[in-house]
Amino acid sequence: MLVSVVIPCYNSEKTIETVADLCMEAFAGWEEYECEMVLVNDFSKDGTFDAIRRVTEKYPNVTGVNLARNFGQHAAIMAGLQYVKGEIVVGMDDDLQNRPDQIRVLLDKLEEGPDVVFGCYKKRQHSAFKNFTGAISQFLLFRLVDRPKDVEMSSFWAARRYVIDEIKNYRGNDTFIQLLFARTTRNLADVEVEHYKREYGESNYTFRKSVKLFMSFMDYSTIPLQLATWFGVLFSITGFVAAVIVLIRKLIDPSVQVGWSSQMCLTLIVAGIIFLMLGIIGDYVGKVIMTISNSPQYVIRETIGQEPQAEKSSENAGKEGAGTSEKSVDKLL
């Protein structure tokens, strides 16, 4: 069975060749599996693409993809998915915190029946700050997005081909691979794997990038808009109750000054109605945006290595808005 390993690469000049070597070594010991690799350079600032070029020269089953600018990790994965040929697709990081020999743990779990398997870590080898922000993100995503509550998602995963083919049809601009899995199938599972310390450099996810990635969940959920509606209802009820209380107090004691109280009641009522209307309008706008969002997810500058079978479909996807390649840009011009 052919397994496609897709790795988004950013400033990984010192690690990506080691990752490729370890991956080839691991699959050489698994007779029932063979692998191909798709390495996507997300416009790195160092010599990452030169390292990818060396890997493609060393291994004939490796494809290198070079993006025209930095689109982010999840968009880079989406670009790589256009080139996979395997019945199973594995996604992992480029920093050696995921080791290729752990892929077998995901594959074994996948044989039990799930459509997608995530590697959950016994202990995350991140900084205290990143562990803290990651815990907050997991907590909020559990409650704001329609996803299985008993499955821990991560950037280390394995998925069946039919799931990948469905995800490739996504046309939104803010790609969040894990949430696309949850949208496609409920047959998800996780399995415990090792998480290793970073050997070189620091995480490329700055606080700003982390917040931007987290906020992309709004493409997959209308709950924030619904919250605006509920806040409107709450404020309106509060305003009406306060108005009744002020009226009763005035009837009981005519000497009570009601100017400030009555103004606050009016403000609460009006603000509540405004929030209610904004929530309703926002719900409709959110559904329209989720339907027609059509900005390119990625632009492919060049590919190296074996000729990708999905090159034609990648060009078509670019014309439809999911992504584009250099060839399709020339045609459009």
Side-chain angles (χ1 to χ4, degrees), residues 221-226 228-229 276-292:
S221 173
T222 58
I223 290 180
L225 299 173
Q226 295 168 9
T229 302
L276 178 61
M277 293 299 104
L278 286 176
I280 294 173
I281 294 172
D283 211 349
Y284 281 106
V285 172
K287 293 181 185 299
V288 171
I289 290 175
M290 291 174 68
T291 302
I292 68 173

Side-chain angles (χ1 to χ4, degrees), residues 5-254:
V5 181
V6 178
I7 303 180
C9 306
Y10 184 71
N11 293 345
S12 55
E13 177 184 15
K14 296 180 179 179
T15 59
I16 192 59
E17 291 183 78
T18 303
V19 172
D21 290 339
L22 290 175
C23 191
M24 296 303 173
E25 180 182 333
F27 274 91
W30 305 333
E31 294 183 358
E32 61 270 49
Y33 296 107
E34 59 179 335
C35 85
E36 66 165 3
M37 299 186 72
V38 181
L39 308 179
V40 184
N41 177 43
D42 193 19
F43 203 71
S44 300
K45 298 177 182 178
D46 60 5
T48 296
F49 194 62
D50 291 332
I52 291 176
R53 191 184 302 276
R54 290 193 293 270
V55 173
T56 60
E57 292 171 353
K58 185 176 182 180
Y59 300 109
N61 56 338
V62 176
T63 299
V65 180
N66 194 23
L67 300 187
R69 68 172 179 84
N70 182 263
F71 288 89
Q73 179 185 23
H74 292 254
I77 294 174
M78 188 68 83
L81 295 182
Q82 308 302 322
Y83 294 84
V84 300
K85 306 180 186 71
E87 299 174 56
I88 295 175
V89 179
V90 172
M92 60 184 297
D93 294 333
D94 59 347
D95 53 13
L96 289 173
Q97 290 193 275
N98 305 138
R99 295 294 170 86
D101 59 358
Q102 297 281 289
I103 292 176
R104 185 57 188 261
V105 179
L106 302 184
L107 298 178
D108 289 344
K109 185 67 176 180
L110 206 63
E111 290 182 355
E112 297 178 10
D115 294 325
V116 181
V117 175
F118 297 97
C120 61
Y121 307 121
K122 299 177 182 178
K123 182 180 180 181
R124 293 179 178 270
Q125 300 294 337
H126 293 308
S127 65
F129 177 75
K130 188 170 182 181
N131 284 332
F132 175 71
T133 55
I136 293 176
S137 297
Q138 285 285 343
F139 177 82
L140 292 176
L141 286 176
F142 265 125
R143 286 153 181 81
L144 295 177
V145 177
D146 181 22
R147 48 168 285 191
K149 308 305 181 186
D150 57 343
V151 175
E152 180 179 339
M153 295 181 173
S154 72
S155 59
F156 189 29
W157 48 264
R160 298 186 186 278
R161 182 57 185 266
Y162 94 88
V163 176
I164 298 302
D165 288 341
E166 185 62 33
I167 285 177
K168 286 160 60 176
N169 294 326
Y170 177 69
R171 295 291 177 261
N173 186 33
D174 289 327
T175 308
F176 201 138
I177 294 295
Q178 288 81 357
L179 298 186
L180 285 175
F181 286 143
R183 173 184 285 186
T184 304
T185 177
R186 279 294 184 271
N187 193 12
L188 309 175
D190 55 27
V191 62
E192 199 171 77
V193 296
E194 293 288 345
H195 195 228
Y196 298 88
K197 289 184 178 180
R198 181 182 294 271
E199 297 189 10
Y200 300 97
E202 298 177 351
S203 173
N204 293 311
Y205 267 104
T206 62
F207 180 75
R208 177 175 172 272
K209 288 183 178 180
S210 298
V211 171
K212 182 179 179 182
L213 174 62
F214 173 77
M215 293 306 295
S216 67
F217 85 91
M218 296 180 69
D219 275 11
Y220 308 86
S221 173
T222 58
I223 290 180
L225 299 173
Q226 295 168 9
L227 288 176
T229 302
W230 286 109
F231 274 124
V233 172
L234 177 63
F235 290 155
S236 297
I237 293 175
T238 303
F240 281 114
V241 170
V244 171
I245 293 174
V246 170
L247 177 61
I248 293 175
R249 290 184 61 192
K250 182 64 176 177
L251 293 175
I252 295 175
D253 185 2

